[in-house]
Amino acid sequence: MTAHTKLRQNLVINGKIQSHHQDRLAIVYIRQSTLQQVERHGESTRLQYGLAEKAYHLGWSRDRVVIIDDDLGRSGSNAEGRPGFQRLVAEIGLDRVGLILGIEISRLARSCRDWYQLLEVCSLFRTLIADADGIYDPASYNDRLLLGLKGTMSEAELHVLKQRMVEGKKAKARRGELGMQLPRGYIKRPSGEIIKDPDEQVQSTIQLVFELFDQFSTVNAVLKYFVKNKIKMPDRERLGLQKGDLKWNRPNRPTLSNLLHNPIYAGAYVYGRRSTDPRRKKPGRPATGRTVAKPSEWDVLIKNKVPAYITWEQYERNLRQLAANSMYGIGVSREGPSLLSGLLICGRCGLRMSTYYTNNSNKLRYSCSRMAVDYGESLCQSLVGNPLDNLISQQVLEALKPSALDVSLQVAEDLERERKNLLAHWEKQLERARYEAERAYRQYNAAEPENRLVARTLEKRWEETLSAEEKIKQEYAVFLNEQPTTLTSAEREAIRQLASDIPSLWFASTTTAAERQEIVRLLIDRVIVAIEGNTEKVFVEIHWAGGHQTYANLIRPVAKLTQLSYYAQLLNRATELKKARKDFTEIADILNQEGFKPPKRQETFNKGMIHTLLVRTGVSSNKKTRSQQVNRMPNEWTFRELSQRINIPEPTLYRWMQKEILIVRRVKEVSHNGIWLITADEKEIKRLESLKNQPKQWIYHSRVKKVN
Ligand SMILES: [Zn+2]
């Protein structure tokens, strides 16, 4: 009888271990939750492997001890995604397991549900469970109670631990000390200080993203620029042997968009910007289910914590612009008669203004969309499009006059400057590639010839750097090819020639709106408009492609007299004249002579307008007018009343009367000429209102029978 068999018999007699247990497997179940824990707690892992030894001492022969450690490095609060645990349960279910060993065995399962399932299966198949404290038989009532308690305690402990960790993390975050994943453009010093990436090219590339977004206002345009000029995005390796090494990746939309959304570039430390919503989480993908919270919902925001690439104001403006873009699609030139769609920037908030067409594309409006973005806010500003379009086309023609050709020469100079910047970028890239190749060569050269394996690796690395350098050289050649050469004097002359033809081309009936848009786009980067208050005055700032700016004042038509910037002045003067016993016609004439302009597009004031102005403000008493003396039928209106009711100008109503669209009658009882009354009940008013938005030829088809 061997010593082992003797040991076996002793245990069978003394304890819970029976021979039917020993005839089956002893499984040592090893688990740690995260890779970090695996690294740090090597000690605990060694302890767990020591359990195999324990199984042997408990009487299992070595070939019957199995170690399951599939779950190493896998975190999980339930059995999903932990094949080791599932395999364990399966083995028990196949009646092949006599004993399970583990350190703090209740941690086998991280949630009570898994734990009770395990106990159930173990008791069914008479499998024992052993941990540092002892051996338990789940089939026995007392042991089962104890095991259940252990499981509950373990889960409670896990909960407390987690809570403590989360709280600790938050406290650290509030101090701005919680290590965050640093995005491209930043690195952390060994001291823990966060600084801008010391690589000059990295910094200038990040800076370029913000400059371009400022210029183009869309992620797409920035991306296009990067792709067109073959500029790559810098990044540092995050893991592995090359950790910290600089690499250059092809830019893509999400990368650029993340960069613009990330508050760190404005120098801020933020915690709680991205939280995980378990409802959106997909199985097997720990990073999904992330949601991005609004700035007001961030747990922690500390400004000026790290060196910034942009100001906080610029960051906020970028966020608004991005939101506006996603709401209105991308602000590029759209089909339509508008000259400036996609070019217009609101001078009040810095956002791109949208283009709207009302009345079947007849009326163009430019409007700042901020209201729609910052919910609930009222309209930022909005103006009728045509006067602005006219102003800009006038300016463009002015700029294209042969005498004003220095504009285009300025453009050429700026292209040259931009080209120089790009060249510098390419040279840095080439220099880097050359340096890498040289370094690889030096390393290869320095390797001992005897150490062939190392030499071969280094040689391979050297070859790779050489071919990388070659590739950059080729791309550089392509870039040089695509660049325009500087203008010869003959070309300048040709431009001058073309320029003198431009006005006639511009106004030619064969020139489409889209072609005019194209011309404007070539010459103008953006137009910034700011309406002064709610008045007729608009300040216009034109940013030309060359980078220089011109300014203009625009008078826009406004709806009401009261909106006019000189309303107070106008009213004072009119009141003065009224007191001087002038009648309305005389007042109108004087105001016109003195240079006052009415709102909307009327050129001059007339008697009616002065009457409205003075009656409304109470300067002139509103005597009972003729129309009020007439005995009216139900639903009868004067032209003025109806005009105000359905917001259609009186002249239009008179035209409609001539075209027999209105139901009218003449009342002669009050004066020699009599006055006209229009019959319109609610239904008729609706009909007339619907006519308002229809093209003229349609309206004239909708005559009514004349009623006398
Ligand atoms: Zn605005």
Side-chain angles (χ1 to χ4, degrees):
M1 192 182 274
T2 63
H4 189 246
T5 326
K6 219 184 243 170
L7 185 74
R8 244 182 107 149
Q9 278 180 343
N10 281 344
L11 285 160
V12 170
I13 295 157
N14 296 334
K16 294 167 184 164
I17 301 170
Q18 305 288 318
S19 62
H20 68 81
H21 291 128
Q22 289 165 334
D23 290 343
R24 290 178 291 166
L25 300 174
I27 290 187
V28 178
Y29 182 77
I30 297 173
R31 71 173 304 274
Q32 289 282 353
S33 63
T34 63
L35 268 177
Q36 228 176 16
Q37 282 181 8
V38 173
E39 256 174 50
R40 285 194 196 154
H41 303 280
E43 186 54 36
S44 145
T45 311
R46 263 193 298 285
L47 255 172
Q48 299 197 52
Y49 281 106
L51 289 171
E53 207 53 37
K54 186 174 179 183
Y56 174 71
H57 284 299
L58 287 176
W60 268 262
S61 57
R62 288 196 194 275
D63 58 340
R64 285 191 187 276
V65 179
V66 175
I67 295 175
I68 293 183
D69 61 1
D70 300 6
D71 294 343
L72 265 185
R74 232 180 259 262
S75 153
S77 30
N78 57 43
E80 241 173 83
R82 288 197 286 127
F85 181 75
Q86 284 155 354
R87 190 176 138 209
L88 177 71
V89 174
E91 290 283 347
I92 300 167
L94 290 169
D95 199 14
R96 282 158 58 175
V97 186
L99 174 73
I100 306 167
L101 296 107
I103 291 201
E104 290 184 83
I105 193 73
S106 54
R107 291 222 182 155
L108 272 182
R110 290 317 270 284
S111 84
C112 272
R113 193 188 57 167
D114 291 349
W115 177 238
Y116 284 110
Q117 184 206 3
L118 184 72
L119 292 188
E120 203 60 51
V121 178
C122 283
S123 89
L124 214 58
F125 290 93
R126 294 173 305 166
T127 303
L128 300 175
I129 294 178
D131 69 5
D133 302 334
I135 299 169
Y136 312 93
D137 179 4
S140 113
Y141 176 73
N142 281 332
D143 283 9
R144 175 74 177 258
L145 209 61
L146 201 63
L147 286 169
L149 198 62
K150 279 191 167 215
T152 310
M153 292 299 288
S154 163
E155 196 174 49
E157 183 198 15
L158 195 70
H159 173 75
V160 170
L161 208 69
K162 214 168 167 181
Q163 206 53 37
R164 208 180 298 146
M165 268 162 67
V166 169
E167 281 311 314
K169 224 169 151 182
K170 278 192 179 163
K172 212 171 164 189
R174 274 192 287 275
R175 297 193 303 269
E177 288 168 3
L178 188 67
M180 50 181 164
Q181 177 87 289
L182 285 181
R184 54 198 86 224
Y186 285 101
I187 63 158
K188 196 188 241 172
R189 284 220 171 116
S191 65
E193 188 196 359
I194 294 168
I195 55 166
K196 281 189 184 179
D197 197 309
D199 190 289
E200 202 185 312
Q201 201 182 351
V202 172
Q203 279 194 27
S204 63
T205 311
I206 301 287
Q207 201 72 52
L208 184 66
V209 175
F210 291 111
E211 278 165 19
L212 291 176
F213 187 75
D214 213 29
Q215 190 180 341
F216 300 134
S217 302
T218 71
V219 174
N220 246 8
V222 177
L223 182 62
K224 262 191 205 157
Y225 186 95
F226 267 65
V227 171
K228 192 178 135 221
N229 294 300
K230 299 206 168 53
I231 301 173
K232 293 192 171 165
M233 288 298 288
D235 203 3
R236 299 246 173 215
E237 288 287 351
R238 286 165 206 284
L239 290 170
L241 289 174
Q242 266 88 41
K243 189 175 171 184
D245 276 8
L246 190 58
K247 56 179 178 178
W248 294 85
N249 299 332
R250 265 178 55 197
N252 58 37
R253 232 187 112 80
T255 301
L256 293 175
S257 169
N258 286 341
L259 207 131
L260 290 162
H261 279 105
N262 196 333
I264 192 175
Y265 295 103
Y269 173 89
V270 166
Y271 179 77
R273 189 166 78 96
R274 286 158 170 268
S275 54
T276 309
D277 182 348
R279 286 168 304 173
R280 293 173 59 181
K281 192 164 178 160
K282 292 186 190 118
R285 296 185 56 193
T288 55
R290 290 234 156 164
T291 54
V292 177
K294 288 186 211 138
S296 54
E297 292 164 1
W298 294 344
D299 292 336
V300 179
L301 166 64
I302 305 172
K303 290 185 189 172
N304 304 321
K305 182 79 182 169
V306 302
Y309 282 89
I310 51 171
T311 63
W312 184 256
E313 288 68 37
Q314 191 180 349
Y315 169 70
E316 284 186 317
R317 198 166 65 233
N318 288 349
L319 280 196
R320 286 202 302 268
Q321 184 67 60
L322 288 162
N325 290 352
S326 65
M327 201 157 277
Y328 282 98
I330 292 151
V332 289
S333 131
R334 280 175 212 153
E335 293 297 314
S338 132
L339 199 60
L340 296 174
S341 58
L343 284 184
L344 205 58
I345 307 283
C346 171
R348 291 188 183 175
C349 66
L351 287 194
R352 185 178 296 280
M353 292 178 77
S354 317
T355 307
Y356 296 99
Y357 299 101
T358 52
N359 284 9
N360 295 334
S361 303
N362 286 332
K363 272 189 197 152
L364 162 71
R365 271 195 96 77
Y366 294 117
S367 182
C368 178
S369 55
R370 177 172 165 180
M371 131 209 87
V373 181
D374 293 4
Y375 333 95
E377 260 188 46
S378 56
L379 185 76
C380 183
Q381 63 170 1
S382 149
L383 72 161
V384 180
N386 287 335
L388 183 60
D389 276 12
N390 290 342
L391 174 85
I392 298 297
S393 59
Q394 204 183 314
Q395 297 261 335
V396 164
L397 290 175
E398 194 67 33
L400 287 177
K401 270 187 187 164
S403 59
L405 253 188
D406 44 342
V407 171
S408 15
L409 296 178
Q410 180 75 31
V411 173
E413 259 171 45
D414 280 304
L415 278 177
E416 196 64 22
R417 202 165 56 210
E418 189 192 329
R419 192 178 159 211
K420 272 191 192 131
N421 281 342
L422 285 171
L423 274 177
H425 180 84
W426 274 104
E427 267 153 23
K428 270 183 211 157
Q429 238 179 333
L430 266 175
E431 197 183 312
R432 183 184 298 282
R434 212 175 296 135
Y435 169 75
E436 293 286 341
E438 277 168 18
R439 192 174 64 165
Y441 172 70
R442 279 200 306 276
Q443 283 168 344
Y444 168 64
N445 237 6
E448 300 289 334
E450 300 88 295
N451 199 344
R452 263 188 273 157
L453 198 63
V454 172
R456 215 177 303 140
T457 314
L458 288 175
E459 187 181 9
K460 198 165 154 248
R461 166 107 186 90
W462 178 32
E463 272 165 17
E464 280 167 5
T465 53
L466 277 180
S467 67
E469 188 191 353
E470 190 51 37
K471 197 164 160 251
I472 290 182
K473 272 185 186 163
Q474 283 167 9
E475 284 174 355
Y476 183 46
V478 172
F479 166 77
L480 285 181
N481 254 339
E482 284 171 352
Q483 290 301 301
T485 44
T486 35
L487 297 173
T488 65
S489 56
E491 283 165 335
R492 275 164 209 261
E493 194 40 51
I495 289 176
R496 244 176 266 272
Q497 190 58 47
L498 268 174
S500 62
D501 295 337
I502 281 178
S504 48
L505 274 175
W506 183 270
F507 292 111
S509 56
T510 47
T511 305
T512 64
E515 282 163 344
R516 285 191 199 105
Q517 270 189 357
E518 277 304 306
I519 295 172
V520 170
R521 258 170 196 72
L522 285 174
L523 290 169
I524 293 177
D525 274 347
R526 56 180 140 172
V527 175
I528 301 175
V529 293
I531 298 172
E532 194 185 300
N534 191 24
T535 67
E536 78 288 359
K537 285 186 178 170
V538 184
F539 182 68
V540 184
E541 198 177 306
I542 304 170
H543 291 234
W544 296 87
H548 74 290
Q549 286 142 32
T550 56
Y551 309 94
N553 287 308
L554 176 76
I555 302 296
R556 65 168 187 146
V558 289
K560 294 178 200 141
L561 266 169
T562 47
Q563 278 177 272
L564 294 170
S565 58
Y566 46 85
Y567 175 71
Q569 225 179 321
L570 176 79
L571 184 62
N572 271 344
R573 184 71 183 125
T575 311
E576 217 172 83
L577 292 169
K578 180 73 194 155
K579 282 181 183 151
R581 298 187 175 275
K582 305 276 182 202
D583 68 19
F584 294 145
T585 318
E586 285 167 331
I587 296 175
D589 287 345
I590 294 169
L591 289 177
N592 287 333
Q593 272 167 30
E594 290 176 356
F596 286 102
K597 291 259 182 272
K600 300 207 178 149
R601 272 179 245 192
Q602 288 109 318
E603 282 298 302
T604 52
F605 283 103
N606 58 31
K607 179 178 151 192
M609 288 154 88
I610 302 303
H611 175 255
T612 317
L613 170 72
L614 292 177
V615 167
R616 192 197 295 136
T617 51
V619 174
S620 176
S621 69
N622 197 4
K623 278 183 289 174
K624 209 173 186 192
T625 54
R626 287 175 309 183
S627 58
Q628 285 162 320
Q629 296 160 18
V630 178
N631 289 325
R632 304 246 196 123
M633 315 265 275
N635 294 321
E636 278 191 333
W637 307 74
T638 65
F639 275 80
R640 172 153 309 157
E641 286 162 357
L642 189 65
S643 157
Q644 279 163 1
R645 168 70 171 81
I646 61 179
N647 199 13
I648 289 174
E650 279 182 67
T652 309
L653 289 178
Y654 279 108
R655 208 160 50 239
W656 286 5
M657 177 176 76
Q658 282 158 9
K659 299 282 177 185
E660 297 172 19
I661 292 168
L662 301 176
I663 306 165
V664 290
R665 74 176 173 112
R666 180 145 54 163
V667 186
K668 289 198 169 177
E669 57 206 60
V670 283
S671 72
H672 175 66
N673 285 330
I675 65 163
W676 289 99
L677 287 176
I678 307 164
T679 307
D681 55 11
E682 281 307 312
K683 202 175 143 204
E684 175 72 357
I685 283 174
K686 281 223 174 70
R687 183 181 76 94
L688 295 175
E689 275 176 333
S690 75
L691 291 179
K692 189 160 64 165
N693 295 328
Q694 282 171 13
K696 280 177 189 157
Q697 54 274 38
W698 286 29
I699 297 177
Y700 299 149
H701 282 137
S702 50
R703 319 182 156 185
V704 291
K705 277 190 189 127
K706 197 171 182 179
V707 182
N708 282 312

